[in-house]
Amino acid sequence: MKKKRMKVKRYKRSFSGSADRQNTLRKVLMWIVAALVLFALGWLLAKPGLDLASKLWYQHKNGGTTPPSSSTSAPSEAQSGAVTAPSEITEPETPSATTGKGTWKFVALSSVATSEQAAQVAKQLAENGVSGAVLTLKDETGNLYYNSAVDAAKSAISPSAIDAAAVAKAFTEQGVTPIAAVWAFRDATMPYLDRATAVKYQGTDYNWLDNAKELGGKPWMNPNSAAAQTYLNELVKEISAMGYQKILVSGLQFPEGYSLQACDFGTLSGSKEQLLAKVGTDLQTAAGEAEVWFEFPQAAVSGESFASYGASPAGFGLANVLVRSTNVTTVNEAGETVNALPDTAKETLEGMKAALEKGGTKQVGFYLAGISGNELSAANETAKAAGYEVQLIP
């Protein structure tokens, strides 16, 4: 009798199921570990990269300056979990037309004969970044270019006079500060109209001239004359009332020229510098709300040549001073007379500014006269860097 073979059934799932689950779990754990490792590596590599990027951004923004360390003042990036951007640096205030600081420019009176022309010129100046327009209302010959109501001035008014009040209004409406230029004692007109204002030849009643008459010699107003001082005060007061927010006074000095030893100023109650400082202070008082600036040559301010001022104007104590720099006449090795650029190095300008501030000046401006082009631009940039609030251009 044959025996039947027995069939054995093998159930694969009953033996391999637990092993598959273990393999799957092991794979999941490996992926988690790998992800954690990658995260840690990414964090370690990203932190220096972000620090470097932040540093480079800061240096680009602030002209190469490295940001201060934040280790003592701010929470660490590891604690906060984020990179803290460097704090903003406050930029210096840019001079604007509302303050009248920045760039001033001389404006020809013929270009502002009407208020409409004045508005157009003012608009162009504003578009070019000019904050103040300088209009000469009394020149160095003594002529007036507006219709003054001052009695003593009636015969000094030029046929080319403009409506100065309307022009001032037009500039103001365009956001450009109107500035009146006024020459003080360098005046060849008033000494003939009112002899009490004139410098005399010593011991006589004749007007002193700064050269021979046939060579164009001219009289000067006397800084020690009460009549001359009153005349200037009345003009400044009148100009301020017409809407001129600033007045630039030149020629606050004693005469220049030949035969200076023959000048008769009358009896001075103090020194020349004391008298000029007082006249300047009186002009500022007469101007009321208008700001009066006084122009002095660089040679006088620096102390190189101040005979016409008694002493360096740096000691006058005037609040606002404009330093005028011009070409210097020298003799070269061949014995020829040549013009050389003035010393406008930053150290020189800083030295004059420091001397003025020591004497009581609050604001200092710079005017490079008779020079244009690259030399003018470079000098004005240097003046800005030296802290001069105003740069006057021709």
Side-chain angles (χ1 to χ4, degrees):
M1 181 174 180
K2 264 186 178 177
K3 293 184 180 179
K4 290 183 181 181
R5 287 185 180 179
M6 297 181 65
K7 293 183 180 180
V8 178
K9 291 185 179 181
R10 291 178 174 84
Y11 298 95
K12 293 181 180 180
R13 295 181 60 88
S14 62
F15 293 97
S16 63
S18 60
D20 289 346
R21 285 193 295 271
Q22 290 177 358
N23 288 336
T24 302
L25 180 60
R26 187 180 298 113
K27 289 180 181 180
V28 171
L29 290 174
M30 289 178 64
W31 278 109
I32 293 174
V33 171
L36 290 174
V37 170
L38 290 174
F39 181 83
L41 288 174
W43 174 254
L44 292 175
L45 293 174
K47 182 178 184 298
L50 289 172
D51 287 344
L52 177 61
S54 177
K55 181 179 179 180
L56 292 174
W57 175 85
Y58 191 102
Q59 289 178 334
H60 173 74
K61 180 179 181 295
N62 295 283
T65 304
T66 302
S69 172
S70 61
S71 60
T72 59
S73 59
S76 68
E77 293 166 359
Q79 291 174 334
S80 64
V83 177
T84 303
S87 59
E88 292 291 332
I89 303 299
T90 302
E91 299 293 338
E93 180 182 356
T94 301
S96 65
T98 56
T99 63
K101 296 180 181 180
T103 302
W104 295 357
K105 181 175 176 57
F106 277 107
V107 173
L109 298 183
S110 58
S111 68
V112 292
T114 66
S115 57
E116 291 77 15
Q117 289 178 326
Q120 184 61 32
V121 170
K123 183 179 179 182
Q124 293 173 352
L125 292 178
E127 290 174 350
N128 291 324
V130 175
S131 62
V134 182
L135 301 103
T136 302
L137 298 188
K138 180 179 184 290
D139 67 13
E140 57 194 292
T141 69
N143 288 329
L144 297 179
Y145 294 94
Y146 72 98
N147 293 306
S148 174
V150 176
D151 290 338
K154 296 297 180 63
S155 298
I157 298 173
S158 167
S160 302
I162 62 172
D163 186 347
V167 170
K169 181 180 179 182
F171 275 98
T172 301
E173 289 175 347
Q174 292 295 325
V176 177
T177 301
I179 304 167
V182 173
W183 281 82
F185 299 111
R186 188 188 286 268
D187 183 327
T189 300
M190 190 51 58
Y192 290 120
L193 299 177
D194 183 354
R195 294 177 61 83
T197 65
V199 177
K200 303 297 183 182
Y201 275 107
Q202 199 167 42
T204 74
D205 191 42
Y206 293 104
N207 289 350
W208 174 87
L209 303 180
D210 57 12
N211 203 342
K213 188 172 184 179
E214 58 271 20
L215 296 177
K218 299 178 291 296
W220 282 59
M221 285 209 300
N222 182 2
N224 195 41
S225 164
Q229 295 174 16
T230 298
Y231 175 59
L232 292 175
N233 287 338
E234 289 179 346
L235 292 181
V236 165
K237 181 180 180 181
E238 182 178 59
I239 290 170
S240 174
M242 289 191 299
Y244 286 83
Q245 300 168 28
K246 299 182 190 296
I247 300 173
L248 177 60
V249 175
S250 301
L252 182 68
Q253 63 177 99
F254 282 80
E256 300 172 354
Y258 295 94
S259 302
L260 293 173
Q261 70 281 0
C263 290
D264 189 349
F265 304 111
T267 303
L268 300 179
S269 58
S271 64
K272 287 183 177 180
E273 59 267 29
Q274 288 173 332
L275 175 60
L276 293 177
K278 182 181 183 303
V279 170
T281 301
D282 290 344
L283 286 171
Q284 177 60 80
T285 301
E289 295 182 359
E291 191 175 78
V292 179
W293 284 70
F294 297 91
E295 177 201 344
F296 297 111
Q298 177 174 334
V301 175
S302 65
E304 296 175 20
S305 177
F306 52 76
S308 297
Y309 304 88
S312 168
F316 287 6
L318 300 173
N320 312 295
V321 172
L322 186 80
V323 178
R324 173 171 49 86
S325 187
T326 57
N327 278 334
V328 180
T329 302
T330 60
V331 179
N332 61 19
E333 295 179 355
E336 301 170 329
T337 300
V338 296
N339 287 328
L341 290 173
D343 181 6
T344 58
K346 185 180 179 183
E347 295 77 11
T348 301
L349 298 183
E350 287 176 337
M352 288 190 292
K353 186 172 187 289
L356 286 162
E357 290 174 341
K358 183 178 179 181
T361 298
K362 305 301 181 185
Q363 298 184 100
V364 183
F366 178 74
Y367 172 35
L368 187 59
I371 298 173
S372 59
N374 293 334
E375 289 85 1
L376 176 63
S377 299
N380 282 333
E381 287 301 318
T382 302
K384 288 181 185 178
Y388 285 60
E389 287 86 355
V390 167
Q391 297 80 45
L392 174 59
I393 59 177

